Amino acid sequence: MSQTQVLARKWRPRNFSELTGQEHVVRALTNAIEQNRLHHAYLLTGTRGVGKTTIARILAKSLNCETGITATPCGACSACLQVDTGSFIDLIELDAASNTQVDHMRDLLENTLYAPTSARYKIYIIDEVHMLSKSAFNAMLKTLEEPPAHVKFVLATTDPQKIPVTVLSRCLQFNLKQIPQAQIAEHLKRILSQEKILYDTSSVQLITRAAQGSMRDALSLLDQAIAFGEGKIEEAAVRDMLGIIDQSYLFDLLETMAQKNGARLLSLADEMEAQCFSFDSALQELAVLLHRIALAQTVPQVISADTPEYARIFTLAKVFTPDDIQLFYQISLHGRSDLNLAPDEYAGFTMTLMRMLTFMPDDLSANNHLLQAPSAHNKQPTATNIIQSAISEQPLQHISPVSEGVGADSSSFDWPQLIPQLKLTGMAKMLAQHSEARVLSAEKIELCIPDVHKHLLEKKYQDKIQAALDTFFGKPVVLNFSIGSITGLIPVVLQQRAEAEKQAEAIAAIEKDPIVQEVIEQFDAKLIVSSIKPFQEDKGGNTNER
């Protein structure tokens, strides 16, 4: 039984035309070869799996093909075939990560004095060249200064900054880019079709995204997926293999966010924890989804109609404003970076969700009808129906909103009272909510923000607060920010405390309601406090359930 060759080796490009995603390097090398403008040392830089060693081997064939120096080696002569099989005697490959010492380099460089055995050029490919010791670099430098005419060096590295400048200056450098996801996906589909393996587009997209621009990683993951799926590739199996969260949870989170249902958000987080999902991966995937929603809002034509969950993406694009999505994206990124600082991943993840909920605009519910499916009318009274009826018939006492009388002519106002009247949104609102006012007057305002939130101090957010203050006071206001320790309670904490008190009042009022108590006794019912929502007064003085 013959051994199956791994896809990364089987489908390694044999010439420049087969190379994916490095057109700028291919064009430069092709032109140099065709014009016979050859350099003695080439440096290929880039992340893992983007084609550095592959390009080096193709270059070796181009320089030694029996048909002559050419950018399109024949692939059939003995030189080309031996390079492909790794048996070409005049192609010397060295892994600098395993051979860092100067003795190895001296032995290698001594051999450069001898002419090629059978080839036109003796090619030295040194991978991860940045791992060489300082003395090894010094030994190499002498050869690079006066190289023999029959020797070509191809150096490859993932970290060019560790290479001495004296070496860099003697090399022709090419920076290989991460391969775009679309090109990786098309290449994987082409391979799967030729290998006659069944697949779905969603699975390929998941593998492509997980590869992070590395074609070798993509092919290795593809090999793994084929084995995992027993010869076919399906989305559910690929998600399990990669440990990627089910997308439906992410959509449910955002739809619940739009409904401002904190209890349901925590319930979803509990379900995700029970499924042993990685919350780090969840925040990463949430950021990916938010990026797609942002695209749907700004350049909808780039979202393909065959994209999974196409309809739900565009529904959320209508429910949220672009500012909301940009804010959520930033919160997701910061939440993920702070995850290792949290007491545990669950706490870090749920705090990120609560942060999104905190900075939601108050009028978002206008678009919530897009998310709510009609429910059948229930004619038979139940304990739940009676309690809901009691709640709707007897509105709870609510906390009054910030007085509209506070303004430019008021001599007594504070920063937490002022913020809602500035009508800030997104990250500007977040900056204001996390700041403490050290000086507060109609002429000058000095705000201090703790070091942990200093990432919010971007000029564009400060400018939005400045413009809002100028509009509110009807004249230019001097606004300054500083980073320091907070001496009191910042507005966001006061807001959270007020909401907690409001929720506690709502629960207490329901628990004391005689109708609710009667239902509990009659039906042996249990009050689900997480379902209780306080009422909010709108600007017209009406009460509406949130």
Side-chain angles (χ1 to χ4, degrees), residues 34-67:
E34 290 177 348
Q35 297 169 19
N36 200 27
R37 300 178 66 86
L38 303 178
H39 204 272
H40 64 276
Y42 299 88
L43 176 62
L44 305 176
T45 68
T47 56
R48 68 189 188 283
V50 294
K52 299 186 296 295
T53 306
T54 297
I55 289 176
R57 290 177 180 173
I58 296 173
L59 183 59
K61 288 197 292 186
S62 295
L63 298 178
N64 286 308
C65 181
E66 292 178 5
T67 62

Side-chain angles (χ1 to χ4, degrees), residues 389-398 509-510 513 534-535 543-544:
S389 177
I391 294 172
S392 62
E393 291 173 2
Q394 298 188 19
L396 303 177
Q397 184 177 2
H398 57 274
I510 289 294
D513 189 276
F535 284 82
T543 55
N544 296 303

Side-chain angles (χ1 to χ4, degrees), residues 299-311:
V299 279
Q301 64 273 18
V302 304
I303 305 293
S304 174
D306 62 358
T307 300
E309 304 286 2
Y310 178 86

Side-chain angles (χ1 to χ4, degrees), residues 212-409:
Q212 297 182 335
S214 168
M215 183 63 78
R216 186 175 65 231
D217 285 3
L219 292 171
S220 297
L221 289 172
L222 191 61
D223 254 329
Q224 186 179 348
I226 293 170
F228 193 87
E230 299 179 348
K232 59 182 178 180
I233 299 181
E234 295 176 334
E235 181 179 357
V238 172
R239 285 191 181 280
D240 288 342
M241 181 191 82
L242 297 175
I244 296 176
I245 185 173
D246 186 347
Q247 290 285 298
S248 62
Y249 277 106
L250 303 179
F251 284 99
D252 289 346
L253 284 172
L254 291 179
E255 290 168 0
T256 303
M257 190 80 65
Q259 297 164 359
K260 298 189 176 180
N261 190 337
R264 174 61 179 153
L265 280 176
L266 294 179
S267 176
L268 287 169
D270 291 341
E271 290 180 26
M272 292 165 64
E273 185 178 41
Q275 295 282 345
C276 298
F277 287 130
S278 163
F279 286 121
D280 179 80
S281 297
L283 288 174
Q284 181 183 20
E285 290 296 308
L286 183 59
V288 171
L289 175 57
L290 290 167
H291 172 251
R292 289 183 179 177
I293 295 171
L295 290 176
Q297 290 175 329
T298 54
V299 279
Q301 64 273 18
V302 304
I303 305 293
S304 174
D306 62 358
T307 300
E309 304 286 2
Y310 178 86
R312 294 181 82 176
I313 289 174
F314 277 88
T315 298
L316 288 171
K318 295 175 183 177
V319 169
F320 293 104
T321 68
D323 279 352
D324 296 330
I325 297 301
Q326 294 294 330
L327 173 63
F328 291 167
Y329 183 78
Q330 288 293 328
I331 292 176
S332 296
L333 296 183
H334 288 302
R336 189 182 177 207
S337 65
D338 293 344
L339 208 56
N340 63 332
L341 302 176
D344 53 67
E345 280 205 352
Y346 175 85
F349 180 70
T350 52
M351 181 58 79
T352 301
L353 297 180
M354 293 304 104
R355 193 174 298 157
M356 291 180 182
L357 197 61
T358 298
F359 292 101
M360 289 268 296
D362 294 332
D363 58 352
L364 187 65
S365 58
N367 290 330
N368 277 353
H369 67 280
L370 297 170
L371 301 174
Q372 297 169 347
S375 58
H377 180 65
N378 191 345
K379 296 182 179 180
Q380 182 180 359
T382 63
T384 303
N385 291 339
I386 296 174
I387 291 176
Q388 289 177 341
S389 177
I391 294 172
S392 62
E393 291 173 2
Q394 298 188 19
L396 303 177
Q397 184 177 2
H398 57 274
I399 300 174
S400 300
V402 177
S403 169
E404 295 293 335
V406 178
D409 297 329

Side-chain angles (χ1 to χ4, degrees), residues 441-445 466 469-470 473 475-479:
S441 70
E443 290 76 30
K444 183 178 181 180
I445 296 178
Q466 178 75 68
L469 287 169
D470 292 347
F473 286 102
K475 61 181 181 180
V477 178
V478 176
L479 174 64

